[in-house]
Amino acid sequence: MKFKKKSKFKDFFRKLSKSWAGLLGFCIIIFLVVLSLFGQWIAPFDPMDAPLRDRLLPPFTDGHILGTDQLGRDILSRIIAGTKVSLIIGLATALLAGVIGTIIGVIAGYFRGWIDIVLMRIVDVQLSFPFILLVLVISAVLGAGLTNIIISLALAGWVIFARVIRSEVLALREKEFITAAIATGVPKFEILVRHILPNIFTPIIILISLQMGTYIIAEASVSFLGFGVQPPTPAWGNMLNEGKDYIFSSWWLITFPGIAIILTTLGVNLFGDWLRDTLDPELKGE
């Protein structure tokens, strides 16, 4: 058994090494994880320290590699601190939205009938609203903060999971082993747990990896508008919001947080695309 697990581990990295895009995305993600875990020791300055005498220093001035903001806080240190916030929001939102969407998608796809019609009409209505607008409305109701922004993003984003999982369940329901289980009188709950859920695990993982980038960008957008993570907590979105008034005089205030968002989203999307191409049987021609 140990040998089998080790072989799967090696096989994963063997396949990953053959894709430069997937490998690049994986390396970016690992780098960000390291920053989030050890950022407090890596950051050159205290991200919350605000010596006004050092305000708006350009990059590479007095040891501030990426410069300082309008309160004298080190930009690099705040970007490093904001890494943990972005990763937590991206992963937690994807997991929460995945759980909600999977439950609704499985119920709609397996039971069909009026349950499917009602649930899918709810999905259609929610999809008619712009995603960011819906997040802003929910955030305004719940209030600002890390936990509330995760809930807001998940409540606005579960519909993607629901539609995809429903399609997977509809296809699975027509398979011979499901038909045989139904014909032999296997309880519906047992069919869902033992036969349906294990066979949709792969598309769930793929969706989570692909949606993380979307949620990271959405959080930055909401924080930029003032409804997300609130200052002085370092978050890339509120760093952009604080720096927008200095866009022409102190370009580094928004440039470097923006690059951090782009690189993070790029890494997650590259790895998610590779994961989809590797795990999806249809794309592999199986």
Side-chain angles (χ1 to χ4, degrees):
M1 184 64 68
K2 290 183 179 180
F3 177 78
K4 186 177 182 181
K5 288 182 179 179
K6 187 176 180 181
S7 298
K8 288 184 177 180
F9 187 76
K10 287 184 176 180
D11 186 57
F12 171 82
F13 283 101
R14 180 181 59 80
K15 292 179 179 179
L16 182 61
S17 64
K18 293 181 179 180
S19 170
W20 70 266
L23 185 59
L24 176 60
F26 181 77
C27 290
I28 292 175
I29 292 173
I30 293 299
F31 174 72
L32 293 171
V33 170
V34 171
L35 281 184
S36 66
L37 292 176
F38 305 103
Q40 57 181 330
W41 296 286
I42 297 175
F45 296 90
D46 183 351
M48 306 294 287
D49 188 25
L52 292 177
R53 65 182 182 278
D54 294 333
R55 64 189 304 271
L56 299 178
L57 293 178
F60 300 102
T61 303
D62 295 339
H64 298 281
I65 298 176
L66 301 184
T68 62
D69 63 10
Q70 72 281 3
L71 297 178
R73 297 171 297 191
D74 183 65
I75 296 293
L76 176 58
S77 299
R78 290 182 64 77
I79 288 177
I80 292 174
T83 303
K84 179 184 291 187
V85 175
S86 293
L87 291 184
I88 288 175
I89 289 175
L91 181 58
T93 302
L95 290 175
L96 181 57
V99 170
I100 297 172
T102 297
I103 292 173
I104 293 176
V106 168
I107 292 173
Y110 184 77
F111 292 100
R112 297 190 293 189
W114 67 269
I115 296 178
D116 182 27
I117 294 174
V118 171
L119 291 177
M120 287 304 102
R121 294 300 76 78
I122 293 174
V123 169
D124 291 338
V125 169
Q126 182 160 327
L127 286 173
S128 67
F129 291 91
F131 178 70
I132 292 297
L133 178 60
L134 187 58
V135 174
L136 290 175
V137 171
I138 299 174
S139 296
V141 173
L142 296 179
L146 180 61
T147 302
N148 287 341
I149 188 62
I150 291 173
I151 296 174
S152 300
L153 289 169
L155 291 178
W158 64 268
V159 290
I160 302 298
F161 288 87
R163 296 195 75 170
V164 174
I165 298 304
R166 172 183 175 271
S167 299
E168 294 288 336
V169 173
L170 286 174
L172 275 174
R173 205 177 187 280
E174 304 303 321
K175 299 291 184 180
E176 292 181 358
F177 67 95
I178 299 294
T179 305
I182 295 174
T184 54
V186 178
K188 292 180 179 180
F189 181 77
E190 186 176 345
I191 293 175
L192 289 174
V193 174
R194 296 187 59 183
H195 300 292
I196 298 293
L197 289 178
N199 284 283
I200 61 174
F201 185 73
T202 295
I204 292 174
I205 295 298
I206 294 172
L207 267 177
I208 287 174
S209 64
L210 291 174
Q211 288 297 110
M212 274 187 65
T214 301
Y215 296 136
I216 290 172
I217 292 178
E219 180 276 326
S221 302
V222 173
S223 294
F224 175 78
L225 295 172
F227 287 88
V229 180
Q230 297 298 298
T233 302
W236 297 338
N238 62 37
M239 290 177 69
L240 292 176
N241 182 35
E242 292 174 347
K244 69 180 185 298
D245 296 330
Y246 304 88
I247 186 172
F248 296 110
S249 59
S250 303
W251 54 269
W252 56 91
L253 267 66
I254 65 168
T255 300
F256 296 120
I259 292 175
I261 295 171
I262 292 172
L263 288 178
T264 301
T265 307
L266 176 64
V268 172
N269 287 342
L270 287 177
F271 183 70
D273 286 341
W274 173 82
L275 203 61
R276 179 195 59 196
D277 296 341
T278 303
L279 298 179
D280 195 326
E282 295 183 359
L283 291 176
K284 292 190 294 183
E286 296 180 359

